[in-house]
Each structure stands twice: as C-alpha cells, then as structure tokens.
Amino acid sequence: MSDEQPDYMQWMGRREVCDDELALAPALAAAATLDDTATQFAAGTPLPPLWQWFYFLPRAPQAELDVDGHVRRGGFMPPIPYPRRMFAGGRMQFHRPLLIGRPARRVAEIRQISEKSGRTGTLAFVSLVHRFYQDEVLCIEEEQDIVYRQPGPPVAPPTPAEDWPPLPAGAWARVVTPDPRLLFRFSALTFNAHRIHYDRPYAREEEGYPGLVVHGPLTAVLLMEVVRRQAGLPVRRFSFRGLAPLFDLAPFRLVCTRSDEQRLALVAQAADGSAAMSAEAELAP
C-alpha cells in the first residue's frame, strides 16, 4: 500500500463470524424477485447456488452508515477512502447445498489488500474469503474481490445497438429489462443501502453514473439462474468478473454457452453488445 496508509495491513487476516437460521421467508422473497414460480421452497429445501447472498446480512445500526449507504469503513473492512466501491468478481466452490430452515455459519476473512494505479486513478483491492458451514460441515467456499477507486469523470450512458450480436450455436439467452422496482427489491433482499442502486440524483450527481446501477451480484445471480433452469445438473464451481457497469436505462442480455460436458461460459451483454460481466460454471459430473 502507499506510505500514506500503512495501517491497512492491520486488517490482513481479520475475521468476522455471522450466524443465520436460513429462514424460509428470504428464499420466497428471492424467488418472487427473480420470477421463479416453479421451484417449491420449504424447510429442508436446498438453497440454490448464490442464494447464500440473501442471508448473513449486515447488521450495522443506521447511525453507522456513511453518506453513500455503506457501513463506515474501519470496522471489519479497512478504512480505504476512495468513494466508489464495486463487487468486482468472485470464485466459489459448492461442496454441498445449504438447507433452508437449519442454522448455518459464515466465517469471513480478509486475505489480501493491495493498491494499484490504473487509467482512471488509484485502485484499492480487498480480497475476502467466505466459508459457509452447516452442521459443522463446510458447504461453500467463496472468494470475493472488492474494488475501491477514486472519483473519475462521469460515465457515459449506454448506446443501444440496433440488434444483439448473433448467438453461438446451442446457446441459451435471456433479455432482462432492469427497472427501479427490480433494483429496489434486490437491495432490500441483500440489505444493501448503497444509494447508486435506488437514488437516481445521488447516482448521477455524486458518483457520476448516468442512471441507477444494476448490482453486480444481481447480474451474477441472473447468470446463475440461467444455468440452474437450463443445465439440469448441480453447479460445483462458479466464477465471475465484472467488466463494466449496467444501468436501468436499457435492457441487457444473458448468454450461456456450453464449453464442454461440464463447463458453461456465460456473459452479460450491455445494450451495445459489449460484455459487462463474464462468468464460468462447472457442473457436477
């Protein structure tokens, strides 16, 4: 890190433990938000992959929120001053599903903190490891990449293309039209008060975005939902990487292509056809 912030290293290896009963209600609310009217959820039902994000939620009091809606840094997360925060990517391995209605535990650990200079200014990277346990058995291992960056020039609004790029042979695709209702519900599901997802004046005037920002985790969940509904096999590994933000100003397209018998390549395409998020899923044999 820079000489100005030597104390960041004090956060290396810091751990946080969170317990959750995995109640049925959040799963039902997630299903409604994602338009899943087919899956029957009850106590004992396996939680779909990535739906662990609807549990183990932050519990900071209102007085501890910063102006952007995030919890003030300096507790579990290091006090990095750069205002723009993004969930830039992640990798996870699913050993066994978490079951609804049974106690579970998440153990989070800060693995690495680093700083780099990019074309938009200085970037700070925080790498987290989350391990999810149920009945003292490891169910999910998840790595998260959180990126903080300095303020930059306003982000240009998307320019929709006349048509989507042709689909690869055998690909599955779904077009999503994001709107404030979807973004608000997802913010509520994840107890995420970051104002760029629901406060249009703040998103535009304070952080320089042309519209409301689609949550990176929402895009990842929607990609996983394509896999869950089409592949017909459990997911063993999943990774994703955010490439560019999506906004509520235009539709985006989810594309899933089979790489081989066990691997699926996924991409979320912005309105101009460019890749906003790439992902890969590995199915159980």
Side-chain angles (χ1 to χ4, degrees), residues 87-135:
F87 188 172
R91 297 152 299 283
M92 56 204 74
Q93 185 170 356
F94 300 95
H95 301 289
R96 56 182 283 185
L98 295 167
L99 301 180
I100 295 173
R102 293 172 59 175
R105 170 168 290 184
R106 184 195 69 192
V107 180
E109 181 179 347
I110 297 178
R111 172 175 287 179
Q112 187 174 5
I113 305 171
S114 61
E115 205 173 57
K116 298 180 182 177
S117 295
R119 57 184 178 82
T120 58
T122 303
L123 303 171
F125 298 83
V126 179
S127 175
L128 302 170
V129 179
H130 289 176
R131 295 181 176 90
F132 299 83
Y133 298 87
Q134 199 167 55
D135 298 327

mmCIF file of all heavy atoms in Angstrom, residues 87-135:
data_model
loop_
_atom_site.group_PDB
_atom_site.id
_atom_site.type_symbol
_atom_site.label_atom_id
_atom_site.label_comp_id
_atom_site.label_asym_id
_atom_site.label_seq_id
_atom_site.Cartn_x
_atom_site.Cartn_y
_atom_site.Cartn_z
ATOM 1 N N PHE A 87 -18.264 -4.617 -6.240
ATOM 2 C CA PHE A 87 -18.054 -6.052 -6.059
ATOM 3 C C PHE A 87 -17.607 -6.550 -7.428
ATOM 4 O O PHE A 87 -18.412 -6.817 -8.309
ATOM 5 C CB PHE A 87 -19.372 -6.699 -5.618
ATOM 6 C CG PHE A 87 -19.263 -8.141 -5.206
ATOM 7 C CD1 PHE A 87 -20.360 -8.782 -4.638
ATOM 8 C CD2 PHE A 87 -18.112 -8.878 -5.372
ATOM 9 C CE1 PHE A 87 -20.299 -10.112 -4.255
ATOM 10 C CE2 PHE A 87 -18.022 -10.205 -4.997
ATOM 11 C CZ PHE A 87 -19.130 -10.825 -4.439
ATOM 12 N N ALA A 88 -16.290 -6.632 -7.643
ATOM 13 C CA ALA A 88 -15.745 -6.788 -8.989
ATOM 14 C C ALA A 88 -15.707 -8.220 -9.487
ATOM 15 O O ALA A 88 -15.602 -8.446 -10.701
ATOM 16 C CB ALA A 88 -14.338 -6.199 -9.036
ATOM 17 N N GLY A 89 -15.745 -9.190 -8.602
ATOM 18 C CA GLY A 89 -15.677 -10.571 -9.065
ATOM 19 C C GLY A 89 -15.628 -11.539 -7.901
ATOM 20 O O GLY A 89 -15.547 -11.145 -6.733
ATOM 21 N N GLY A 90 -15.689 -12.802 -8.230
ATOM 22 C CA GLY A 90 -15.649 -13.822 -7.188
ATOM 23 C C GLY A 90 -15.476 -15.208 -7.774
ATOM 24 O O GLY A 90 -15.674 -15.439 -8.971
ATOM 25 N N ARG A 91 -15.073 -16.109 -6.891
ATOM 26 C CA ARG A 91 -14.907 -17.522 -7.245
ATOM 27 C C ARG A 91 -15.449 -18.347 -6.093
ATOM 28 O O ARG A 91 -15.196 -18.009 -4.939
ATOM 29 C CB ARG A 91 -13.417 -17.850 -7.472
ATOM 30 C CG ARG A 91 -12.809 -17.090 -8.634
ATOM 31 C CD ARG A 91 -11.328 -16.859 -8.471
ATOM 32 N NE ARG A 91 -11.027 -16.065 -7.285
ATOM 33 C CZ ARG A 91 -11.191 -14.744 -7.212
ATOM 34 N NH1 ARG A 91 -11.680 -14.066 -8.236
ATOM 35 N NH2 ARG A 91 -10.902 -14.097 -6.100
ATOM 36 N N MET A 92 -16.196 -19.386 -6.414
ATOM 37 C CA MET A 92 -16.750 -20.197 -5.334
ATOM 38 C C MET A 92 -16.808 -21.663 -5.697
ATOM 39 O O MET A 92 -16.876 -22.029 -6.873
ATOM 40 C CB MET A 92 -18.124 -19.685 -4.902
ATOM 41 C CG MET A 92 -19.156 -19.592 -5.972
ATOM 42 S SD MET A 92 -20.424 -18.372 -5.543
ATOM 43 C CE MET A 92 -19.550 -16.830 -5.813
ATOM 44 N N GLN A 93 -16.750 -22.464 -4.660
ATOM 45 C CA GLN A 93 -16.837 -23.917 -4.804
ATOM 46 C C GLN A 93 -17.960 -24.402 -3.911
ATOM 47 O O GLN A 93 -18.021 -24.072 -2.724
ATOM 48 C CB GLN A 93 -15.508 -24.573 -4.417
ATOM 49 C CG GLN A 93 -15.485 -26.075 -4.652
ATOM 50 C CD GLN A 93 -14.086 -26.661 -4.501
ATOM 51 O OE1 GLN A 93 -13.113 -25.933 -4.287
ATOM 52 N NE2 GLN A 93 -13.975 -27.967 -4.624
ATOM 53 N N PHE A 94 -18.859 -25.196 -4.481
ATOM 54 C CA PHE A 94 -20.020 -25.707 -3.756
ATOM 55 C C PHE A 94 -19.770 -27.177 -3.409
ATOM 56 O O PHE A 94 -19.759 -28.034 -4.287
ATOM 57 C CB PHE A 94 -21.287 -25.563 -4.606
ATOM 58 C CG PHE A 94 -21.597 -24.142 -4.993
ATOM 59 C CD1 PHE A 94 -21.178 -23.632 -6.213
ATOM 60 C CD2 PHE A 94 -22.288 -23.307 -4.129
ATOM 61 C CE1 PHE A 94 -21.455 -22.320 -6.569
ATOM 62 C CE2 PHE A 94 -22.563 -21.994 -4.472
ATOM 63 C CZ PHE A 94 -22.149 -21.502 -5.696
ATOM 64 N N HIS A 95 -19.548 -27.435 -2.134
ATOM 65 C CA HIS A 95 -19.310 -28.802 -1.684
ATOM 66 C C HIS A 95 -20.623 -29.536 -1.428
ATOM 67 O O HIS A 95 -20.771 -30.707 -1.764
ATOM 68 C CB HIS A 95 -18.463 -28.794 -0.407
ATOM 69 C CG HIS A 95 -17.127 -28.130 -0.584
ATOM 70 N ND1 HIS A 95 -16.104 -28.683 -1.321
ATOM 71 C CD2 HIS A 95 -16.661 -26.935 -0.126
ATOM 72 C CE1 HIS A 95 -15.053 -27.875 -1.303
ATOM 73 N NE2 HIS A 95 -15.369 -26.816 -0.581
ATOM 74 N N ARG A 96 -21.555 -28.838 -0.821
ATOM 75 C CA ARG A 96 -22.884 -29.376 -0.573
ATOM 76 C C ARG A 96 -23.824 -28.193 -0.358
ATOM 77 O O ARG A 96 -23.392 -27.125 0.065
ATOM 78 C CB ARG A 96 -22.908 -30.309 0.643
ATOM 79 C CG ARG A 96 -22.405 -29.693 1.916
ATOM 80 C CD ARG A 96 -22.393 -30.672 3.074
ATOM 81 N NE ARG A 96 -23.738 -30.891 3.623
ATOM 82 C CZ ARG A 96 -23.977 -31.628 4.707
ATOM 83 N NH1 ARG A 96 -22.977 -32.227 5.327
ATOM 84 N NH2 ARG A 96 -25.201 -31.779 5.153
ATOM 85 N N PRO A 97 -25.111 -28.339 -0.683
ATOM 86 C CA PRO A 97 -26.008 -27.182 -0.549
ATOM 87 C C PRO A 97 -26.336 -26.870 0.905
ATOM 88 O O PRO A 97 -26.409 -27.771 1.751
ATOM 89 C CB PRO A 97 -27.256 -27.623 -1.326
ATOM 90 C CG PRO A 97 -27.222 -29.111 -1.269
ATOM 91 C CD PRO A 97 -25.779 -29.507 -1.297
ATOM 92 N N LEU A 98 -26.519 -25.590 1.185
ATOM 93 C CA LEU A 98 -27.106 -25.177 2.449
ATOM 94 C C LEU A 98 -28.594 -25.509 2.418
ATOM 95 O O LEU A 98 -29.251 -25.383 1.373
ATOM 96 C CB LEU A 98 -26.909 -23.673 2.655
ATOM 97 C CG LEU A 98 -25.465 -23.190 2.824
ATOM 98 C CD1 LEU A 98 -25.408 -21.676 2.690
ATOM 99 C CD2 LEU A 98 -24.895 -23.635 4.163
ATOM 100 N N LEU A 99 -29.139 -25.926 3.541
ATOM 101 C CA LEU A 99 -30.539 -26.317 3.612
ATOM 102 C C LEU A 99 -31.345 -25.249 4.341
ATOM 103 O O LEU A 99 -30.951 -24.761 5.406
ATOM 104 C CB LEU A 99 -30.689 -27.659 4.329
ATOM 105 C CG LEU A 99 -29.939 -28.848 3.702
ATOM 106 C CD1 LEU A 99 -30.183 -30.114 4.517
ATOM 107 C CD2 LEU A 99 -30.338 -29.042 2.243
ATOM 108 N N ILE A 100 -32.478 -24.880 3.759
ATOM 109 C CA ILE A 100 -33.346 -23.863 4.343
ATOM 110 C C ILE A 100 -33.892 -24.352 5.684
ATOM 111 O O ILE A 100 -34.231 -25.525 5.850
ATOM 112 C CB ILE A 100 -34.506 -23.546 3.382
ATOM 113 C CG1 ILE A 100 -33.958 -22.898 2.104
ATOM 114 C CG2 ILE A 100 -35.535 -22.631 4.034
ATOM 115 C CD1 ILE A 100 -34.997 -22.700 1.026
ATOM 116 N N GLY A 101 -33.954 -23.417 6.644
ATOM 117 C CA GLY A 101 -34.558 -23.733 7.939
ATOM 118 C C GLY A 101 -33.636 -24.375 8.944
ATOM 119 O O GLY A 101 -34.095 -24.801 10.007
ATOM 120 N N ARG A 102 -32.335 -24.420 8.640
ATOM 121 C CA ARG A 102 -31.380 -25.008 9.577
ATOM 122 C C ARG A 102 -30.258 -24.009 9.837
ATOM 123 O O ARG A 102 -29.835 -23.299 8.923
ATOM 124 C CB ARG A 102 -30.818 -26.316 9.020
ATOM 125 C CG ARG A 102 -31.890 -27.392 8.925
ATOM 126 C CD ARG A 102 -31.408 -28.632 8.211
ATOM 127 N NE ARG A 102 -30.255 -29.238 8.857
ATOM 128 C CZ ARG A 102 -29.722 -30.406 8.442
ATOM 129 N NH1 ARG A 102 -30.243 -31.045 7.413
ATOM 130 N NH2 ARG A 102 -28.678 -30.904 9.062
ATOM 131 N N PRO A 103 -29.776 -23.917 11.071
ATOM 132 C CA PRO A 103 -28.733 -22.932 11.395
ATOM 133 C C PRO A 103 -27.477 -23.145 10.551
ATOM 134 O O PRO A 103 -27.112 -24.271 10.208
ATOM 135 C CB PRO A 103 -28.451 -23.188 12.882
ATOM 136 C CG PRO A 103 -29.669 -23.882 13.388
ATOM 137 C CD PRO A 103 -30.196 -24.697 12.248
ATOM 138 N N ALA A 104 -26.842 -22.048 10.199
ATOM 139 C CA ALA A 104 -25.607 -22.085 9.419
ATOM 140 C C ALA A 104 -24.703 -20.959 9.897
ATOM 141 O O ALA A 104 -25.143 -20.029 10.583
ATOM 142 C CB ALA A 104 -25.900 -21.961 7.931
ATOM 143 N N ARG A 105 -23.449 -21.024 9.525
ATOM 144 C CA ARG A 105 -22.461 -20.032 9.943
ATOM 145 C C ARG A 105 -21.606 -19.627 8.753
ATOM 146 O O ARG A 105 -21.222 -20.473 7.930
ATOM 147 C CB ARG A 105 -21.585 -20.588 11.057
ATOM 148 C CG ARG A 105 -20.366 -19.730 11.408
ATOM 149 C CD ARG A 105 -19.708 -20.180 12.695
ATOM 150 N NE ARG A 105 -20.573 -19.853 13.842
ATOM 151 C CZ ARG A 105 -20.229 -20.055 15.109
ATOM 152 N NH1 ARG A 105 -19.054 -20.599 15.393
ATOM 153 N NH2 ARG A 105 -21.047 -19.724 16.078
ATOM 154 N N ARG A 106 -21.320 -18.333 8.678
ATOM 155 C CA ARG A 106 -20.374 -17.822 7.686
ATOM 156 C C ARG A 106 -19.170 -17.237 8.417
ATOM 157 O O ARG A 106 -19.323 -16.418 9.321
ATOM 158 C CB ARG A 106 -21.011 -16.727 6.828
ATOM 159 C CG ARG A 106 -20.078 -16.233 5.699
ATOM 160 C CD ARG A 106 -20.561 -14.934 5.110
ATOM 161 N NE ARG A 106 -20.421 -13.835 6.066
ATOM 162 C CZ ARG A 106 -20.961 -12.635 5.906
ATOM 163 N NH1 ARG A 106 -21.721 -12.389 4.857
ATOM 164 N NH2 ARG A 106 -20.787 -11.684 6.819
ATOM 165 N N VAL A 107 -17.993 -17.669 8.025
ATOM 166 C CA VAL A 107 -16.747 -17.132 8.564
ATOM 167 C C VAL A 107 -16.062 -16.370 7.442
ATOM 168 O O VAL A 107 -15.695 -16.947 6.415
ATOM 169 C CB VAL A 107 -15.829 -18.247 9.101
ATOM 170 C CG1 VAL A 107 -14.535 -17.645 9.642
ATOM 171 C CG2 VAL A 107 -16.547 -19.063 10.179
ATOM 172 N N ALA A 108 -15.927 -15.046 7.601
ATOM 173 C CA ALA A 108 -15.298 -14.191 6.599
ATOM 174 C C ALA A 108 -13.897 -13.814 7.065
ATOM 175 O O ALA A 108 -13.659 -13.594 8.260
ATOM 176 C CB ALA A 108 -16.137 -12.937 6.375
ATOM 177 N N GLU A 109 -12.973 -13.746 6.125
ATOM 178 C CA GLU A 109 -11.596 -13.386 6.442
ATOM 179 C C GLU A 109 -11.037 -12.495 5.341
ATOM 180 O O GLU A 109 -11.260 -12.743 4.153
ATOM 181 C CB GLU A 109 -10.735 -14.643 6.569
ATOM 182 C CG GLU A 109 -9.282 -14.362 6.918
ATOM 183 C CD GLU A 109 -8.461 -15.639 7.055
ATOM 184 O OE1 GLU A 109 -9.049 -16.720 7.122
ATOM 185 O OE2 GLU A 109 -7.226 -15.523 7.081
ATOM 186 N N ILE A 110 -10.329 -11.446 5.722
ATOM 187 C CA ILE A 110 -9.638 -10.595 4.756
ATOM 188 C C ILE A 110 -8.304 -11.241 4.421
ATOM 189 O O ILE A 110 -7.437 -11.378 5.277
ATOM 190 C CB ILE A 110 -9.439 -9.170 5.308
ATOM 191 C CG1 ILE A 110 -10.795 -8.507 5.539
ATOM 192 C CG2 ILE A 110 -8.587 -8.340 4.346
ATOM 193 C CD1 ILE A 110 -10.713 -7.111 6.120
ATOM 194 N N ARG A 111 -8.184 -11.651 3.164
ATOM 195 C CA ARG A 111 -6.986 -12.382 2.750
ATOM 196 C C ARG A 111 -5.889 -11.457 2.244
ATOM 197 O O ARG A 111 -4.702 -11.678 2.516
ATOM 198 C CB ARG A 111 -7.352 -13.393 1.654
ATOM 199 C CG ARG A 111 -6.161 -14.087 1.010
ATOM 200 C CD ARG A 111 -6.585 -15.140 0.024
ATOM 201 N NE ARG A 111 -7.109 -16.316 0.708
ATOM 202 C CZ ARG A 111 -7.569 -17.388 0.073
ATOM 203 N NH1 ARG A 111 -7.609 -17.408 -1.244
ATOM 204 N NH2 ARG A 111 -8.008 -18.426 0.755
ATOM 205 N N GLN A 112 -6.252 -10.420 1.494
ATOM 206 C CA GLN A 112 -5.226 -9.579 0.886
ATOM 207 C C GLN A 112 -5.766 -8.171 0.658
ATOM 208 O O GLN A 112 -6.953 -7.982 0.374
ATOM 209 C CB GLN A 112 -4.772 -10.183 -0.450
ATOM 210 C CG GLN A 112 -3.584 -9.476 -1.083
ATOM 211 C CD GLN A 112 -3.093 -10.196 -2.334
ATOM 212 O OE1 GLN A 112 -3.694 -11.163 -2.788
ATOM 213 N NE2 GLN A 112 -2.004 -9.721 -2.895
ATOM 214 N N ILE A 113 -4.884 -7.186 0.788
ATOM 215 C CA ILE A 113 -5.193 -5.791 0.484
ATOM 216 C C ILE A 113 -4.053 -5.261 -0.375
ATOM 217 O O ILE A 113 -2.882 -5.420 -0.026
ATOM 218 C CB ILE A 113 -5.332 -4.946 1.768
ATOM 219 C CG1 ILE A 113 -6.367 -5.544 2.712
ATOM 220 C CG2 ILE A 113 -5.714 -3.507 1.421
ATOM 221 C CD1 ILE A 113 -6.398 -4.887 4.081
ATOM 222 N N SER A 114 -4.391 -4.650 -1.489
ATOM 223 C CA SER A 114 -3.348 -4.129 -2.372
ATOM 224 C C SER A 114 -3.850 -2.855 -3.044
ATOM 225 O O SER A 114 -5.047 -2.555 -3.029
ATOM 226 C CB SER A 114 -2.940 -5.163 -3.423
ATOM 227 O OG SER A 114 -4.050 -5.513 -4.240
ATOM 228 N N GLU A 115 -2.915 -2.130 -3.639
ATOM 229 C CA GLU A 115 -3.233 -0.867 -4.288
ATOM 230 C C GLU A 115 -2.510 -0.821 -5.628
ATOM 231 O O GLU A 115 -1.353 -1.238 -5.735
ATOM 232 C CB GLU A 115 -2.778 0.293 -3.400
ATOM 233 C CG GLU A 115 -3.531 1.585 -3.623
ATOM 234 C CD GLU A 115 -3.140 2.621 -2.579
ATOM 235 O OE1 GLU A 115 -1.941 2.936 -2.455
ATOM 236 O OE2 GLU A 115 -4.043 3.117 -1.885
ATOM 237 N N LYS A 116 -3.210 -0.339 -6.667
ATOM 238 C CA LYS A 116 -2.615 -0.244 -8.000
ATOM 239 C C LYS A 116 -3.051 1.062 -8.642
ATOM 240 O O LYS A 116 -4.079 1.632 -8.297
ATOM 241 C CB LYS A 116 -3.065 -1.422 -8.882
ATOM 242 C CG LYS A 116 -2.639 -2.787 -8.379
ATOM 243 C CD LYS A 116 -3.135 -3.887 -9.308
ATOM 244 C CE LYS A 116 -2.748 -5.262 -8.774
ATOM 245 N NZ LYS A 116 -3.286 -6.350 -9.647
ATOM 246 N N SER A 117 -2.249 1.501 -9.608
ATOM 247 C CA SER A 117 -2.590 2.682 -10.389
ATOM 248 C C SER A 117 -3.154 2.239 -11.730
ATOM 249 O O SER A 117 -2.555 1.399 -12.413
ATOM 250 C CB SER A 117 -1.359 3.562 -10.606
ATOM 251 O OG SER A 117 -0.901 4.087 -9.381
ATOM 252 N N GLY A 118 -4.322 2.781 -12.088
ATOM 253 C CA GLY A 118 -4.955 2.458 -13.352
ATOM 254 C C GLY A 118 -5.193 3.712 -14.151
ATOM 255 O O GLY A 118 -4.846 4.828 -13.735
ATOM 256 N N ARG A 119 -5.819 3.548 -15.326
ATOM 257 C CA ARG A 119 -6.029 4.709 -16.196
ATOM 258 C C ARG A 119 -7.046 5.685 -15.603
ATOM 259 O O ARG A 119 -7.093 6.846 -15.989
ATOM 260 C CB ARG A 119 -6.493 4.248 -17.579
ATOM 261 C CG ARG A 119 -7.738 3.402 -17.584
ATOM 262 C CD ARG A 119 -8.065 2.918 -18.984
ATOM 263 N NE ARG A 119 -9.235 2.051 -19.005
ATOM 264 C CZ ARG A 119 -10.481 2.483 -19.010
ATOM 265 N NH1 ARG A 119 -10.717 3.793 -19.000
ATOM 266 N NH2 ARG A 119 -11.496 1.639 -19.027
ATOM 267 N N THR A 120 -7.876 5.205 -14.635
ATOM 268 C CA THR A 120 -8.851 6.092 -14.008
ATOM 269 C C THR A 120 -8.397 6.577 -12.628
ATOM 270 O O THR A 120 -9.158 7.219 -11.918
ATOM 271 C CB THR A 120 -10.205 5.378 -13.856
ATOM 272 O OG1 THR A 120 -10.030 4.189 -13.070
ATOM 273 C CG2 THR A 120 -10.777 5.008 -15.217
ATOM 274 N N GLY A 121 -7.148 6.258 -12.256
ATOM 275 C CA GLY A 121 -6.641 6.683 -10.963
ATOM 276 C C GLY A 121 -6.222 5.504 -10.115
ATOM 277 O O GLY A 121 -6.041 4.386 -10.609
ATOM 278 N N THR A 122 -6.089 5.724 -8.828
ATOM 279 C CA THR A 122 -5.652 4.676 -7.913
ATOM 280 C C THR A 122 -6.801 3.753 -7.555
ATOM 281 O O THR A 122 -7.918 4.192 -7.315
ATOM 282 C CB THR A 122 -5.087 5.303 -6.627
ATOM 283 O OG1 THR A 122 -4.025 6.191 -6.972
ATOM 284 C CG2 THR A 122 -4.546 4.229 -5.695
ATOM 285 N N LEU A 123 -6.507 2.459 -7.536
ATOM 286 C CA LEU A 123 -7.477 1.437 -7.179
ATOM 287 C C LEU A 123 -6.972 0.682 -5.959
ATOM 288 O O LEU A 123 -5.781 0.374 -5.849
ATOM 289 C CB LEU A 123 -7.677 0.443 -8.335
ATOM 290 C CG LEU A 123 -8.117 1.009 -9.685
ATOM 291 C CD1 LEU A 123 -8.054 -0.074 -10.749
ATOM 292 C CD2 LEU A 123 -9.522 1.556 -9.589
ATOM 293 N N ALA A 124 -7.865 0.380 -5.049
ATOM 294 C CA ALA A 124 -7.534 -0.455 -3.890
ATOM 295 C C ALA A 124 -8.349 -1.738 -3.973
ATOM 296 O O ALA A 124 -9.558 -1.707 -4.238
ATOM 297 C CB ALA A 124 -7.826 0.277 -2.588
ATOM 298 N N PHE A 125 -7.698 -2.877 -3.773
ATOM 299 C CA PHE A 125 -8.332 -4.182 -3.884
ATOM 300 C C PHE A 125 -8.331 -4.863 -2.520
ATOM 301 O O PHE A 125 -7.302 -4.921 -1.849
ATOM 302 C CB PHE A 125 -7.582 -5.070 -4.877
ATOM 303 C CG PHE A 125 -7.565 -4.539 -6.284
ATOM 304 C CD1 PHE A 125 -6.628 -3.582 -6.666
ATOM 305 C CD2 PHE A 125 -8.480 -4.985 -7.225
ATOM 306 C CE1 PHE A 125 -6.605 -3.090 -7.965
ATOM 307 C CE2 PHE A 125 -8.464 -4.498 -8.525
ATOM 308 C CZ PHE A 125 -7.523 -3.545 -8.896
ATOM 309 N N VAL A 126 -9.498 -5.367 -2.138
ATOM 310 C CA VAL A 126 -9.611 -6.146 -0.909
ATOM 311 C C VAL A 126 -10.139 -7.525 -1.300
ATOM 312 O O VAL A 126 -11.208 -7.648 -1.917
ATOM 313 C CB VAL A 126 -10.554 -5.489 0.114
ATOM 314 C CG1 VAL A 126 -10.668 -6.353 1.367
ATOM 315 C CG2 VAL A 126 -10.058 -4.097 0.474
ATOM 316 N N SER A 127 -9.368 -8.560 -0.979
ATOM 317 C CA SER A 127 -9.764 -9.934 -1.274
ATOM 318 C C SER A 127 -10.283 -10.591 0.000
ATOM 319 O O SER A 127 -9.594 -10.596 1.033
ATOM 320 C CB SER A 127 -8.564 -10.717 -1.814
ATOM 321 O OG SER A 127 -8.896 -12.076 -1.993
ATOM 322 N N LEU A 128 -11.509 -11.103 -0.060
ATOM 323 C CA LEU A 128 -12.159 -11.742 1.080
ATOM 324 C C LEU A 128 -12.370 -13.218 0.796
ATOM 325 O O LEU A 128 -12.593 -13.617 -0.351
ATOM 326 C CB LEU A 128 -13.524 -11.104 1.355
ATOM 327 C CG LEU A 128 -13.578 -9.606 1.632
ATOM 328 C CD1 LEU A 128 -15.021 -9.135 1.635
ATOM 329 C CD2 LEU A 128 -12.931 -9.303 2.964
ATOM 330 N N VAL A 129 -12.333 -14.015 1.841
ATOM 331 C CA VAL A 129 -12.712 -15.423 1.756
ATOM 332 C C VAL A 129 -13.873 -15.658 2.708
ATOM 333 O O VAL A 129 -13.803 -15.300 3.888
ATOM 334 C CB VAL A 129 -11.538 -16.348 2.124
ATOM 335 C CG1 VAL A 129 -11.975 -17.809 2.039
ATOM 336 C CG2 VAL A 129 -10.350 -16.107 1.209
ATOM 337 N N HIS A 130 -14.960 -16.213 2.182
ATOM 338 C CA HIS A 130 -16.118 -16.574 2.994
ATOM 339 C C HIS A 130 -16.254 -18.090 2.984
ATOM 340 O O HIS A 130 -16.242 -18.713 1.913
ATOM 341 C CB HIS A 130 -17.404 -15.954 2.431
ATOM 342 C CG HIS A 130 -17.488 -14.476 2.611
ATOM 343 N ND1 HIS A 130 -18.527 -13.722 2.105
ATOM 344 C CD2 HIS A 130 -16.672 -13.599 3.248
ATOM 345 C CE1 HIS A 130 -18.343 -12.450 2.411
ATOM 346 N NE2 HIS A 130 -17.230 -12.356 3.107
ATOM 347 N N ARG A 131 -16.411 -18.663 4.165
ATOM 348 C CA ARG A 131 -16.661 -20.103 4.274
ATOM 349 C C ARG A 131 -17.984 -20.296 5.005
ATOM 350 O O ARG A 131 -18.213 -19.716 6.066
ATOM 351 C CB ARG A 131 -15.520 -20.805 5.009
ATOM 352 C CG ARG A 131 -14.200 -20.756 4.245
ATOM 353 C CD ARG A 131 -13.083 -21.493 4.981
ATOM 354 N NE ARG A 131 -11.863 -21.517 4.198
ATOM 355 C CZ ARG A 131 -10.904 -20.582 4.246
ATOM 356 N NH1 ARG A 131 -11.057 -19.548 5.078
ATOM 357 N NH2 ARG A 131 -9.830 -20.679 3.497
ATOM 358 N N PHE A 132 -18.855 -21.104 4.411
ATOM 359 C CA PHE A 132 -20.200 -21.332 4.942
ATOM 360 C C PHE A 132 -20.293 -22.758 5.482
ATOM 361 O O PHE A 132 -19.962 -23.721 4.770
ATOM 362 C CB PHE A 132 -21.241 -21.126 3.838
ATOM 363 C CG PHE A 132 -21.255 -19.729 3.265
ATOM 364 C CD1 PHE A 132 -20.359 -19.359 2.266
ATOM 365 C CD2 PHE A 132 -22.162 -18.784 3.722
ATOM 366 C CE1 PHE A 132 -20.369 -18.078 1.732
ATOM 367 C CE2 PHE A 132 -22.179 -17.497 3.198
ATOM 368 C CZ PHE A 132 -21.280 -17.152 2.200
ATOM 369 N N TYR A 133 -20.768 -22.865 6.716
ATOM 370 C CA TYR A 133 -20.848 -24.164 7.387
ATOM 371 C C TYR A 133 -22.289 -24.440 7.825
ATOM 372 O O TYR A 133 -23.031 -23.519 8.203
ATOM 373 C CB TYR A 133 -19.962 -24.185 8.635
ATOM 374 C CG TYR A 133 -18.482 -23.982 8.375
ATOM 375 C CD1 TYR A 133 -17.943 -22.699 8.311
ATOM 376 C CD2 TYR A 133 -17.628 -25.072 8.219
ATOM 377 C CE1 TYR A 133 -16.584 -22.504 8.082
ATOM 378 C CE2 TYR A 133 -16.261 -24.873 7.997
ATOM 379 C CZ TYR A 133 -15.752 -23.596 7.932
ATOM 380 O OH TYR A 133 -14.408 -23.415 7.709
ATOM 381 N N GLN A 134 -22.654 -25.693 7.780
ATOM 382 C CA GLN A 134 -23.926 -26.142 8.350
ATOM 383 C C GLN A 134 -23.688 -27.507 8.988
ATOM 384 O O GLN A 134 -23.069 -28.385 8.368
ATOM 385 C CB GLN A 134 -25.002 -26.233 7.264
ATOM 386 C CG GLN A 134 -26.430 -26.249 7.808
ATOM 387 C CD GLN A 134 -27.433 -26.016 6.705
ATOM 388 O OE1 GLN A 134 -27.452 -26.717 5.707
ATOM 389 N NE2 GLN A 134 -28.298 -25.014 6.876
ATOM 390 N N ASP A 135 -24.144 -27.655 10.229
ATOM 391 C CA ASP A 135 -23.852 -28.879 10.994
ATOM 392 C C ASP A 135 -22.351 -29.122 11.064
ATOM 393 O O ASP A 135 -21.891 -30.269 11.001
ATOM 394 C CB ASP A 135 -24.559 -30.091 10.383
ATOM 395 C CG ASP A 135 -26.069 -29.953 10.391
ATOM 396 O OD1 ASP A 135 -26.606 -29.335 11.335
ATOM 397 O OD2 ASP A 135 -26.722 -30.430 9.442
#
